[in-house]
Structure formats: structure tokens, C-alpha cells
């Protein structure tokens, strides 16, 4: 059993609870983790055949039909999506951060920048809810990289006061000029991805933000 549990946990990224009986439990996505529905399977002990050990694992799915299908998406979910930041519209507006241009030189016109305020913010509307797995943040490279110092990334479904109501994906740790930060959000469910500079007055400058995740589709059957 330990080898089988290790395989499920390390290779397939599933959590395993073997239990004390012949039936165990396995679950892998945050959507399933928070649900009473679990994947249940009978576990068979290894058998020996000519000094070769074989594991047999059969999955007996007992999922509620109300659960969605999760489909991997390899595309940048944020590209050309509506975006906003603190302050009035400007030539270097919020949409510049999701235009697909990763040029880090602010003077070339492809970076977003807010006004200089306390705790500035920026967010993108993905158009619908996804399981967000990763957010990529490209810092400006011509100067002033520390303008991202204190940056925090949030994901969720609340559009008002996102820092308070949505889930923290993580902090931006590398704010050197031209740095690319990749934050893994553990498949956090949400429509809005926001970036805040907390507890100081700053201009929030973003030269590109990319969002990757899993699509959520309803089951075809009623």
C-alpha cells in the first residue's frame, strides 16, 4: 500500500486515505476536496507472480451528477479580457497588462500603470468562473522594479473589495527589473484576478499578466 499511495500522491497529485478496511478514498481537485462526494475504490494488496510485484487498482466512481466537468485549458485566459485599475482611464491603462505584449520597457507603451495612491489595485475579468492554477506577472524592466514591492495576487468571484472577499493566491516575491513571477493558485475557483500593492502609496505598474486554469463545464446529462 505505501508504494501505491505514494504513486497516487506524487504522480497523479491525489490525496489518499486508505482507511482500515478494503476500501479507500482518493480525491484530487479543490472542488472535490470540499465536497462530500469522494472517489471511492477497492484496494487490492500486491500479488507476487514469478518474483514480480503487481498492484491492481480499480476505481468505482460514485460522484454526484451536480459536479462539473473540469477541462484543462492551455491558453492565456486573461489575454484581451476587460481590465481595470485604480484611477481614471489613461494612455497606459489597465488593458495594457493583458494585451499579449510582454515588452517590459514602459516607454514602448505596452505596460499598465495606476495613479500614485495608497494601496493601488488592478484586476482582470476572465468572463466566467475558472479553476485558476497559475498567474504570471511581468515587471517593468527599464527602471523602478520595486514598484511591485508588496504586491499580492487574489482570485475569486467578488468584484467589490476583492482583497477582502477573494482568496489570496500569493505574494509577488521578485520585484527586480524585468522579473517574471509565476504564482501557483492551487486551482482556486474564480472569475476575477486582482493585484494589490498593500499598505503603502505607490503606482502599480504591470507589463503583462497571464492567467492559466481549468475550464468548468456542466455535465451534458441532466
Amino acid at each position: 500500500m505505501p508504494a501505491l499511495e505514494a504513486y497516487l500522491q506524487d504522480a497523479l497529485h491525489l490525496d489518499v486515505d486508505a482507511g482500515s478496511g478494503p476500501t479507500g478514498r482518493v480525491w484530487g481537485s479543490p472542488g472535490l476536496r470540499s465536497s462530500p462526494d469522494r472517489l471511492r475504490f477497492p484496494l487490492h494488496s500486491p500479488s507476487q507472480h514469478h518474483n514480480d510485484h503487481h498492484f491492481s487498482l480499480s476505481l468505482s466512481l460514485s460522484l454526484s451528477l451536480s459536479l462539473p466537468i473540469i477541462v484543462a485549458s492551455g491558453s492565456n485566459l486573461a489575454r484581451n479580457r476587460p481590465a481595470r485599475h485604480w484611477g481614471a482611464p489613461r494612455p497606459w491603462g489597465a488593458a495594457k497588462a493583458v494585451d499579449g505584449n510582454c515588452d517590459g520597457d514602459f516607454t514602448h507603451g505596452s505596460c499598465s500603470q495606476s495613479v500614485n495612491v495608497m494601496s493601488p489595485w488592478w484586476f482582470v475579468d476572465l468572463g466566467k468562473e475558472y479553476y485558476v492554477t497559475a498567474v504570471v506577472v511581468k515587471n517593468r524592466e527599464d527602471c523602478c522594479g520595486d514598484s511591485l514591492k508588496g504586491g499580492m495576487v487574489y482570485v475569486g468571484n467578488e468584484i467589490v473589495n476583492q482583497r477582502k472577499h477573494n482568496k489570496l493566491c500569493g505574494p509577488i516575491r521578485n520585484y527586480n527589473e524585468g522579473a517574471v513571477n509565476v504564482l501557483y493558485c492551487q486551482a482556486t475557483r474564480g472569475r476575477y484576478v486582482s493585484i494589490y500593492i498593500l499598505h503603502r502609496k505607490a503606482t502599480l505598474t504591470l507589463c503583462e499578466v497571464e492567467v492559466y486554469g481549468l475550464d468548468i463545464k456542466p455535465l451534458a446529462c441532466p
Side-chain angles (χ1 to χ4, degrees), residues 54-74:
H54 301 275
F55 283 105
S56 175
L57 171 65
S58 60
L59 291 175
S60 176
L61 303 184
S62 58
L63 294 178
S64 167
L65 288 180
S66 64
L67 291 176
I69 298 173
I70 304 172
V71 181
S73 174

Side-chain angles (χ1 to χ4, degrees):
M1 271 303 301
L4 178 57
E5 292 179 28
Y7 173 75
L8 290 172
Q9 290 168 343
D10 298 336
L12 301 181
H13 306 291
L14 299 173
D15 293 334
V16 177
D17 176 12
S20 57
T23 301
R25 293 177 297 172
V26 56
W27 55 94
S29 76
L32 294 179
R33 188 186 304 277
S34 61
S35 168
D37 298 292
R38 299 287 172 84
L39 303 180
R40 302 184 61 85
F41 58 88
L43 293 173
H44 304 282
S45 300
S47 58
Q48 185 173 1
H49 301 284
H50 305 293
N51 297 323
D52 290 329
H53 294 272
H54 301 275
F55 283 105
S56 175
L57 171 65
S58 60
L59 291 175
S60 176
L61 303 184
S62 58
L63 294 178
S64 167
L65 288 180
S66 64
L67 291 176
I69 298 173
I70 304 172
V71 181
S73 174
S75 60
N76 174 13
L77 302 174
R79 185 167 183 176
N80 295 323
R81 295 299 310 166
R84 292 183 58 191
H85 63 192
W86 204 104
R90 316 173 78 187
W92 41 91
K96 296 286 188 178
V98 289
D99 62 359
N101 187 341
C102 296
D103 187 349
D105 190 330
F106 183 82
T107 64
H108 293 168
S110 183
C111 298
S112 165
Q113 187 178 76
S114 73
V115 295
N116 189 16
V117 293
M118 180 65 68
S119 299
W121 50 262
W122 173 97
F123 76 84
V124 61
D125 179 356
L126 302 180
K128 66 175 185 175
E129 190 179 50
Y130 292 90
Y131 282 118
V132 175
T133 56
V135 177
V136 181
V137 181
K138 170 69 182 291
N139 198 6
R140 68 182 295 177
E141 62 189 32
D142 54 315
C143 80
C144 320
D146 60 357
S147 66
L148 271 183
K149 185 175 182 180
M152 307 291 275
V153 177
Y154 296 84
V155 177
N157 287 310
E158 294 296 327
I159 192 172
V160 178
N161 200 351
Q162 297 182 38
R163 178 169 66 92
K164 179 179 179 181
H165 298 294
N166 291 344
K167 184 177 178 180
L168 175 66
C169 173
I172 296 173
R173 300 186 183 277
N174 186 350
Y175 40 86
N176 293 325
E177 282 82 5
V180 176
N181 285 264
V182 182
L183 295 90
Y184 296 101
C185 303
Q186 299 180 345
T188 299
R189 197 164 180 162
R191 171 175 174 171
Y192 303 102
V193 176
S194 56
I195 300 174
Y196 283 76
I197 302 293
L198 301 181
H199 312 309
R200 71 183 182 91
K201 190 175 183 180
T203 56
L204 174 52
T205 304
L206 301 165
C207 286
E208 195 65 21
V209 177
E210 298 179 350
V211 178
Y212 297 91
L214 306 174
D215 200 357
I216 304 170
K217 295 183 180 293
L219 291 172
C221 299

